[in-house]
Amino acid sequence: MADRRTAEEISGIYRRHVGTVYQVCLMLLKSVPDAEDAVQTVFRKLLEYGGTFESPEHEKAWLIVTARNESKNQLRHWWRTRRADGAALENIAWEEPGDGALWELILSLPEKEKMAVYLYYYQGYSTGEAAELMGANPATVRSWLHRARRRLKELWEEADGDGE
């Protein structure tokens, strides 16, 4: 059995990555309480994880993949009901990216496109790295990004046209 992490190590990992883990969970679950539950589960899994991380990037990637998988597991669970809709996102209890109007449009994208945009533009992963995290082919991720940019442009122009 691998050595257990110290409380200081766990605390450091939590401080460095809780925002990212929460954003991934919230983006997929669309419910603040469900996202908070998923974040708690992700960090519980970190406590139980006996392996070591090769680098800070590996640590972050492990947490993102675990957050995505936990969120998907919650969405598939038999008791899952739609308790919140898009209005719940207006009361988000986390630090939202500074581009609020664009972020709202990103949240309206289909799940795979939304996750690809988040990993590529907000977390700085390459399409190959994002593909690995999402369990997809890099070409597929590039297609999702292309579609997402096209949809965002259309949505942005629609929103801009409404304001005139």
Side-chain angles (χ1 to χ4, degrees):
M1 182 171 157
D3 292 333
R4 291 277 182 197
R5 288 179 179 76
T6 65
E8 293 81 24
E9 288 175 303
I10 296 292
S11 181
I13 292 171
Y14 179 84
R15 279 192 307 279
R16 284 191 300 276
H17 301 294
V18 68
T20 300
V21 170
Y22 184 72
Q23 287 177 338
V24 168
C25 294
L26 184 62
M27 190 169 37
L28 295 172
L29 295 169
K30 297 181 180 80
S31 164
V32 171
D34 290 344
E36 290 170 350
D37 288 346
V39 169
Q40 185 176 14
T41 302
V42 168
F43 283 99
R44 181 189 47 78
K45 287 180 179 182
L46 174 66
L47 287 169
E48 296 168 353
Y49 178 65
T52 57
F53 297 116
E54 300 165 9
S55 65
E57 293 79 23
H58 179 229
E59 174 183 279
K60 183 178 180 180
W62 186 91
L63 288 165
I64 288 173
V65 168
T66 304
R68 183 197 67 186
N69 290 343
E70 178 58 28
S71 297
K72 286 185 174 190
N73 286 344
Q74 281 193 21
L75 289 169
R76 281 193 297 262
H77 201 277
W78 64 267
W79 53 260
R80 173 85 181 160
T81 59
R82 284 269 189 233
R83 292 186 301 250
D85 57 8
L89 295 174
E90 294 175 17
N91 300 320
I92 292 176
W94 51 281
E95 190 173 317
E96 194 172 298
D99 48 356
L102 178 58
W103 184 247
E104 287 182 33
L105 295 178
I106 291 169
L107 290 175
S108 72
L109 293 172
E111 179 185 326
K112 290 177 181 179
E113 293 174 20
K114 177 174 31 181
M115 184 61 109
V117 167
Y118 177 74
L119 291 173
Y120 185 77
Y121 290 107
Y122 288 88
Q123 291 299 319
Y125 284 101
S126 69
T127 54
E129 293 166 332
E132 192 173 318
L133 292 172
M134 296 177 74
N137 185 308
T140 304
V141 171
R142 286 190 293 276
S143 293
W144 290 335
L145 286 168
H146 176 74
R147 257 191 311 234
R149 285 188 296 263
R150 189 178 67 233
R151 286 181 206 219
L152 287 170
K153 182 179 181 206
E154 291 169 3
L155 290 169
W156 188 264
E157 288 171 352
E158 284 176 24
D160 195 37
D162 291 344
E164 292 181 62

